[in-house]
Amino acid sequence: MAVFFVHPTSFMARTAWNQPLDDATANRIVDERILRHQASVFNDCCEVWAPRYRQATFFSFIDTSGDGERALALAYDDVKAAFAVFLTELGPDQPFILAGHSQGTRHATALLRDTIAGTGLYDRMVAAYLVGFSISHDDLGSVPACENDVHIRCAVGW
């Protein structure tokens, strides 16, 4: 099984709206802290796919000019493209888990609603773990919230 893990914000710069993919500081935080302490929970069950993406700076979440939303949209475009590659590499029948944290949850929730819900991908999704970002039942589209620890094809968040 595989997990598509969308990491949280590690780009804190005020000099750009989106992280350059070669930003050494943000990449080191992702590789040495975030993946080690968050995505590693899946190491015993799954191959972890954690794409680099041009994440929006932390300050996009408090921006009121519209630039922050455009930065988040660009980041989502990268995540959506990476998910398409993930699916191609995964093969047509392999089950997967969708997971995200913080900004990653924002993007993973959009993938769930826009790309997975109501499609054949939904039948392959074991669960969606959407943590560290406020989401509602409406954000999930037609995907139900998990009711217990053995419920599958559902989403859980906190």
Side-chain angles (χ1 to χ4, degrees):
M1 185 167 2
V3 59
F4 188 80
F5 178 83
V6 189
H7 68 76
T9 307
S10 63
F11 185 60
M12 304 296 177
R14 294 177 187 237
T15 56
W17 285 106
N18 292 88
Q19 173 202 331
L21 291 175
D22 63 354
D23 184 291
T25 301
N27 289 339
R28 186 176 58 255
I29 292 168
V30 169
D31 295 344
E32 296 176 10
R33 294 182 190 162
I34 294 170
L35 296 181
R36 182 179 298 157
H37 298 292
Q38 293 181 7
S40 63
V41 70
F42 297 104
N43 285 350
D44 285 344
C45 74
C46 306
E47 180 180 3
V48 177
W49 291 64
R52 293 213 190 281
Y53 64 99
R54 292 174 291 177
Q55 62 178 292
T57 181
F58 171 80
F59 300 101
S60 334
F61 291 97
I62 57 174
D63 173 67
T64 58
S65 72
D67 289 333
E69 279 301 318
R70 283 187 285 282
L72 287 160
L74 177 66
Y76 176 62
D77 287 345
D78 284 359
V79 169
K80 192 172 183 178
F83 187 67
V85 171
F86 165 76
L87 292 172
T88 299
E89 295 290 322
L90 196 59
D93 299 319
Q94 187 172 350
F96 66 89
I97 293 170
L98 179 65
H101 186 269
S102 190
Q103 180 174 169
T105 286
R106 176 188 166 119
H107 303 314
T109 302
L111 279 176
L112 180 67
R113 182 184 59 248
D114 301 340
T115 305
I116 298 170
T119 73
L121 293 173
Y122 173 73
D123 294 331
R124 294 171 48 200
M125 186 188 79
V126 176
Y129 296 99
L130 307 170
V131 301
F133 197 83
S134 180
I135 58 172
S136 70
H137 289 280
D138 291 338
D139 295 325
L140 302 177
S142 61
V143 176
C146 295
E147 296 176 8
N148 56 51
D149 62 349
V150 295
H151 192 188
I152 61 170
R153 294 187 195 90
C154 58
V156 62
W158 61 89

